[in-house]
């Protein structure tokens, strides 16, 4: 086995894993607070990518700079989905909660198809092809920036949840909904904000991914399943677990290309999922529910 | 200050309360007693807005609160300390107490109220940075009451505050509840520990099958042959 290649793949895996982690943290937050799985998560990310793409093409603003706009737009999308749809289904059986969110994913996917057509679009960004070498390995500047911003965004989210008054209310509502209602927390509004924040992370991840891969309307499924695998890996509702799980999956997928063709990436992630379900179903770091 | 009139509450098609009427006066301590499944907790849930009655009305300080949300009812000054404590296990004791103050006035007076809470429960002050989930049952009950006080309630409703506690702790909790009432807070207490509840309250209601079966001053209820036989085992 080629050691230099392995190192190269390890670096790539870590860098991509940071973005997996970011989107999975959002999915895990939504699950931790509301107990629902956002099956439109990947599709929301794709919308985030398209928003960044639009801003890049129309205004010329780099995706790293338009990230707050993409995250903000997807925050609003998430807030609206929670307040109009998800708040109504929170007490439904889990199997019935799946349908509205899968439907939401289909709607978003087809809206993307309607607005932007089925073609793959890969915009050229300022730093798109810049690289530097680190020993024997080559590092993409855009991947490094994406990774750093993903980690920064995740840390900011952690601090927000830990320190801010709204963050504490979100954690309280996640801990005990009845208790939260009885101290006077407007739980529905807190749910809206929590879903919005979870969605914003995936929107931000979309903006970060735009320079790295071509965007198309059907990209969403893969990212929903990737985020889902990462969340199970780290423990449902465990945010730190989601971040670490993202890095693990990124590295595993990347290193697996040493042995398997890259097109079998999904075999690796689902293989990892099956192994985790068999030996540690509560996830590496333990879940909330 | 609280007046419940002819309240019917249903869970789906199942009727849990039948025409329950009760009042709590300014500064008064009222206990609601009865066995499991007789509608005691349901009564409190309806008052705090978690459930809405199908018939009847709830007035508080002259205002109709029958259809208000739990949050609005807390803001008006009714605090419900639920059965099973319902603290936030992964938040620290301090954060749990902070969460008790959700509205401008309680937030403004938060530090002051917290000192008062530590006065009642010095144990909580020792465990301030500890996660609530790691507290003992008694400490969680103290935290739940403390959290309930943080909203500066004029009326506090306690659901089974002594459930699952050791006899010694039960004494302590009831002493504190008595102190809280002496500070001028009206109290409505639901208890299976009938003797204790009636001892610290002015009046009592006995709920049976979702309806008020008996009501009167606590002293009279304590000597009522039906209450003695059914609830005090005498």
């Amino acid at each position: 086995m080629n050691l230099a290649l392995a190192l190269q793949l390890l670096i790539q895996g870590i860098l991509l894993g940071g973005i997996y982690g970011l989107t999975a943290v959002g999915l895990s937050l939504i699950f931790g607070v509301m107990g629902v799985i956002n099956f439109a998560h990947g599709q929301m990310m794709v919308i985030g990518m398209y928003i960044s793409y639009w801003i890049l093409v129309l205004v010329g603003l780099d995706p790293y700079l338009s990230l707050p706009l993409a995250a903000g737009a997807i925050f609003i999308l998430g807030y609206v989905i929670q307040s109009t749809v998800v708040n109504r289904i929170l007490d439904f059986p889990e199997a019935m909660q799946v349908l509205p969110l899968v439907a939401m994913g289909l709607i978003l996917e087809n809206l993307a198809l309607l607005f932007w057509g089925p073609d793959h679009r890969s915009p050229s960004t300022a730093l798109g092809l810049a690289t530097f070498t680190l020993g024997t390995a080559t590092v993409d500047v855009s991947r490094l920036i994406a990774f750093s911003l993903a980690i920064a965004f995740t840390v900011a989210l952690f601090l927000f949840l830990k320190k801010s008054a709204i963050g504490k209310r979100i954690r309280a509502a996640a801990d005990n909904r009845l208790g939260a209602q009885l101290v006077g927390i407007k739980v529905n509004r807190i749910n809206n904000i929590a879903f919005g924040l979870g969605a914003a992370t995936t929107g931000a991840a979309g903006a970060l991914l735009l320079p790295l891969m071509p965007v198309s309307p059907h990209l969403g499924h893969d990212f929903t399943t990737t985020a889902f695998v990462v969340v199970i890996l780290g423990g449902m509702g465990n945010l730190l677990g989601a971040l670490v799980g993202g890095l693990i999956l990124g590295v595993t997928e990347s290193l697996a290309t040493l042995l398997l063709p890259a097109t079998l990436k999904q075999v690796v992630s689902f293989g990892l999922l099956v192994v985790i379900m068999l030996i540690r179903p509560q996830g590496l770091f333990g879940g909330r529910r | 200050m609280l007046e419940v009139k002819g309240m019917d509450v249903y869970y789906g098609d199942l009727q849990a309360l039948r025409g329950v009427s009760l009042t709590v006066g300014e500064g008064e301590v009222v206990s609601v007693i009865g066995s499991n499944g007789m509608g005691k907790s349901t009564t409190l849930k309806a008052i705090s807005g978690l459930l809405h009655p199908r018939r009847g009305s709830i007035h508080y300080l002259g205002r109709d609160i029958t259809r208000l949300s739990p949050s609005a009812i807390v803001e008006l000054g009714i605090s419900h300390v639920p059965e099973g404590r319902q603290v936030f296990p992964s938040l620290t004791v301090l954060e749990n107490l902070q969460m008790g103050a959700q509205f401008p006035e309680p937030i403004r007076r938060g530090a002051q109220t917290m000192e008062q809470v530590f006065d009642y429960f010095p144990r909580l002050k020792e465990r301030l940075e500890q996660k609530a989930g790691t507290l003992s049952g008694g400490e969680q009950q103290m935290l739940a009451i403390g959290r309930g006080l943080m909203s500066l309630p004029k009326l506090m409703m306690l659901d089974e505050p002594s459930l699952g506690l050791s006899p010694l702790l039960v004494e302590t909790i009831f002493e504190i509840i008595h102190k809280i009432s002496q500070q001028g807070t009206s109290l409505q207490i639901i208890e299976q520990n009938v003797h204790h509840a009636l001892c610290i309250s002015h009046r009592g209601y006995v709920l049976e099958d979702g309806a008020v079966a008996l009501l009167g001053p606590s002293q009279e209820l304590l000597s009522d042959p039906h209450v003695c036989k059914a609830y005090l085992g005498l």
Side-chain angles (χ1 to χ4, degrees), chain A residues 168-169 171 175-176 184-185, chain B residues 71 86 89-90 95 98 102:
Chain A
K168 284 179 190 172
R169 287 182 192 139
R171 286 190 291 134
D175 253 12
N176 190 324
I185 293 174
Chain B
S71 173
Q86 315 294 343
S90 75
E95 287 172 333
Q98 286 170 342
Q102 289 293 331

Side-chain angles (χ1 to χ4, degrees), chain B residues 22 24 28-34 40-41 44 81 155-162 173-174 176-178 180-181 185-194 196-205:
Chain B
L22 58 85
V24 181
E28 200 180 23
V29 181
V30 169
S31 38
V32 178
I33 58 181
K40 301 188 306 280
S41 294
L44 289 201
V81 179
L155 168 67
M156 193 169 200
M157 306 192 293
L158 299 153
D159 195 343
E160 305 272 9
S162 76
I173 293 279
F174 272 103
I176 304 293
I177 293 173
H178 187 56
I180 293 170
S181 78
T185 311
S186 309
L187 294 176
Q188 186 178 355
I189 306 167
I190 281 185
E191 259 302 338
Q192 300 202 31
N193 194 327
V194 173
H196 270 102
L198 288 178
C199 275
I200 65 162
S201 57
H202 304 107
R203 288 188 301 120
Y205 291 82

Side-chain angles (χ1 to χ4, degrees), chain B residues 119-138:
Chain B
D119 236 29
Y120 292 136
F121 306 111
R123 191 92 64 93
L124 292 182
K125 195 170 185 176
E126 296 161 21
R127 320 235 153 187
L128 222 46
E129 293 305 323
Q130 210 173 311
K131 296 232 160 114
T134 65
L135 299 180
S136 71

Side-chain angles (χ1 to χ4, degrees), chain A residues 162 165 168-169 171-173 175-176 178-186 288, chain B residues 48 50 70-71 74 80 82 86-91 95 98-99 102-103 147:
Chain A
K162 185 89 195 148
K168 284 179 190 172
R169 287 182 192 139
R171 286 190 291 134
D175 253 12
N176 190 324
L178 175 63
Q181 280 179 306
L182 287 179
V183 297
I185 293 174
K186 296 180 181 82
R288 289 191 65 112
Chain B
S48 62
L50 290 172
S71 173
V74 177
H80 178 176
Q86 315 294 343
V87 297
F88 306 121
S90 75
L91 271 61
E95 287 172 333
Q98 286 170 342
M99 283 297 104
Q102 289 293 331
F103 302 98
R147 185 182 67 180

